[in-house]
Amino acid sequence: MDIVTGNLGWIEAICGPMFSGKSEELMRRLRRAIIARKRVQVFKPLIDQRYSSDEIVSHNDLRMKSQVIQRASEILPLLDPRTEVVGIDEANFFGPDLVEVATQLADGGKQVMIAGLDTDYMGRPFPPMAELLSLAESITKTLAICMRCGNPAKHTQRLVESNDLIVVGAGGMYEARCRRCFEPGVPKQAFLEFTVPKAKS
Ligand code: ADP
Ligand code: ZN
């Protein structure tokens, strides 16, 4: 509890695969907080420079100004003490330190909204989001549309070959897939076999 203002802090987690509307939902909540005249600070990791260097951006081009940081440990020193709501996008790019930082913020009376991938390209729980889900007061899981069959999709399908946990990219490198269509890792390519017709003797 914040002794001065009596604010009760908490953690709201927004998780799901890529293209499921996590950033959209985060910005919707942050905009509402701004309308409610709350002081808001937004952070995003430096690694994610896909669309803009000082804004969080959704795949349908909603934007909001944010502070760009390399490590979760930079959040506390950059925090204005008057800030009431802290938004963090692309949490999956921050290491396990984010768990401690988010806990400290919430314990200190801040309303913490965190969006990030909950599973990786293999379908495994993705730290630190997986842990944050068990510590959060509220969890929203967003689903995308499967690009194969149109069903609700909870997986992020990697389309390029790499064994690295983090490969930054959007268009063409990843797509949303449902449980049935998901192929952990990289999808097997369907090779076409061409047979050369035999010459007539
Ligand atoms: P996330 O932060 O989860 O990656 P965004 O909030 O950036 O998602 O983008 C969500 C938007 O992406 C949707 O409103 C829609 O316009 C678009 N979109 C593109 N591909 C898909 C898909 N396969 N399923 C759902 N929405 C998609
Ligand atoms: Zn599918």
Side-chain angles (χ1 to χ4, degrees):
M1 279 281 272
D2 181 334
I3 294 158
V4 180
T5 63
N7 286 344
L8 177 66
W10 67 78
I11 299 173
E12 293 173 37
I14 304 165
C15 69
M18 274 179 76
F19 307 104
S20 63
K22 299 183 300 300
S23 301
E24 238 174 31
E25 176 60 18
L26 177 65
M27 283 187 259
R28 189 184 74 85
R29 293 186 192 185
L30 292 171
R31 287 217 165 86
R32 287 172 63 88
I34 292 165
I35 290 168
R37 300 184 198 283
K38 291 193 175 160
R39 288 178 180 271
V40 174
Q41 262 182 284
V42 187
F43 296 94
K44 73 170 216 170
L46 181 64
I47 194 167
D48 182 31
Q49 286 177 323
R50 283 174 293 176
Y51 308 102
S52 171
S53 56
D54 63 348
E55 289 170 312
I56 54 174
V57 184
S58 73
H59 289 104
N60 55 348
D61 211 31
L62 294 172
R63 289 160 185 271
M64 190 175 254
K65 277 267 173 285
S66 76
Q67 288 171 277
V68 184
I69 51 172
Q70 268 174 307
R71 270 174 269 281
S73 57
E74 291 167 46
I75 294 177
L76 292 172
L78 285 171
L79 204 73
D80 183 324
R82 294 167 302 174
T83 293
E84 297 161 279
V85 178
V86 180
I88 302 168
D89 201 11
E90 306 283 2
N92 44 285
F93 289 127
F94 290 116
D97 292 354
L98 184 60
V99 175
E100 181 55 32
V101 171
T103 303
Q104 278 191 38
L105 287 169
D107 287 349
K110 310 297 180 198
Q111 188 178 335
V112 189
M113 302 178 179
I114 307 184
L117 297 172
D118 53 349
T119 59
D120 66 10
Y121 75 110
M122 296 295 286
R124 300 170 297 203
F126 203 163
M129 207 59 199
E131 201 174 337
L132 282 165
L133 295 182
S134 59
L135 300 171
E137 270 81 357
S138 137
I139 303 169
T140 300
K141 181 140 178 167
T142 48
L143 297 175
I145 302 299
C146 175
M147 295 308 281
R148 277 277 171 89
C149 73
N151 275 311
K154 74 168 187 115
H155 283 294
T156 303
Q157 176 72 56
R158 184 175 285 180
L159 301 171
V160 294
E161 204 155 350
S162 170
N163 290 324
D164 294 339
L165 182 60
I166 293 176
V167 175
V168 181
M173 293 176 79
Y174 293 97
E175 70 181 25
R177 295 267 184 100
C178 73
R179 179 185 287 279
R180 197 169 45 196
C181 298
F182 178 57
E183 298 168 83
V186 180
K188 295 170 281 303
Q189 301 293 320
F191 289 108
L192 296 172
E193 282 192 37
F194 292 101
T195 50
V196 182
K198 281 186 189 143
K200 279 184 186 155
S201 54

